[in-house]
Amino acid sequence: MARKMSATERAARDVVNKYVRDGLMERGQANRTIRDGLHIAETTVRREYVQNGWGSALYYGQKVAAAREEFNALPEGSIARRMKGARLLATEIYAAVFAVVEAEEGPREGAERLTPAQAEEVMATVRDTAGEMREEAANPRSRLTTAA
């Protein structure tokens, strides 16, 4: 008889299955990741959300956006890219677990109602805009135009 999979495990498996399909990890690695790490992610996210009221879709979206930006900035096949890929996987699992915990526990008053993908997109835009603003502040003369 097949065992019943929890909603958090289903969400985490959906994340790791994407990595397996893309050839970034083997099925055995995916199963070990779920077996060894899911309880840590779920316990941490659930405790912080329920007991302390911490966490939001935008918080986890920012973490995923930052990890994806660092991962994409590195050359294919490098050891550093594999390490950043592991960080990206972990942040995506935490974001997926948060979405399930928030759905089970109910959203806090005033909390934004975003999916992990929407939150990542919002925070990637925020990171890009902040980077542009830092760049402009560092080079104030580049904003000036010459009058003809």
Side-chain angles (χ1 to χ4, degrees):
M1 183 172 158
R3 69 179 179 84
K4 184 169 167 65
M5 192 178 305
S6 71
T8 52
E9 183 177 354
R10 175 77 271 151
R13 285 204 181 274
D14 289 345
V15 170
V16 296
N17 285 341
K18 179 176 59 173
Y19 284 74
V20 171
R21 277 192 309 272
D22 293 344
L24 298 173
M25 68 186 331
E26 301 291 324
R27 175 58 56 197
Q29 290 173 301
N31 290 337
R32 276 192 305 280
T33 300
I34 297 295
R35 184 182 62 239
D36 297 341
L38 179 61
H39 69 283
I40 296 168
E42 182 176 4
T43 301
T44 302
V45 170
R46 193 173 297 279
R47 179 176 46 86
E48 296 301 332
Y49 187 77
V50 174
Q51 292 178 0
N52 299 328
W54 294 343
S56 72
L58 291 176
Y59 170 80
Y60 289 102
Q62 187 271 335
K63 296 293 185 186
V64 173
R68 188 174 313 283
E69 182 180 306
E70 291 171 1
F71 176 76
N72 290 336
L74 295 169
E76 288 281 330
S78 70
I79 298 295
R81 185 175 171 96
R82 289 189 59 86
M83 297 302 293
K84 293 298 181 180
R87 178 174 177 245
L88 177 59
L89 173 65
T91 59
E92 286 185 334
I93 288 173
Y94 270 81
V97 167
F98 174 79
V100 171
V101 168
E102 185 180 42
E104 289 175 355
E105 301 292 335
R108 290 188 309 273
E109 185 178 328
E112 64 283 339
R113 302 222 190 328
L114 300 171
T115 66
Q118 290 170 326
E120 179 187 351
E121 185 178 331
V122 167
M123 294 313 292
T125 303
V126 169
R127 289 178 61 81
D128 290 344
T129 303
E132 290 171 7
M133 291 177 72
R134 279 191 302 273
E135 191 176 299
E136 285 180 9
N139 301 317
R141 302 202 119 241
S142 66
R143 291 182 298 190
L144 300 176
T145 59
T146 56

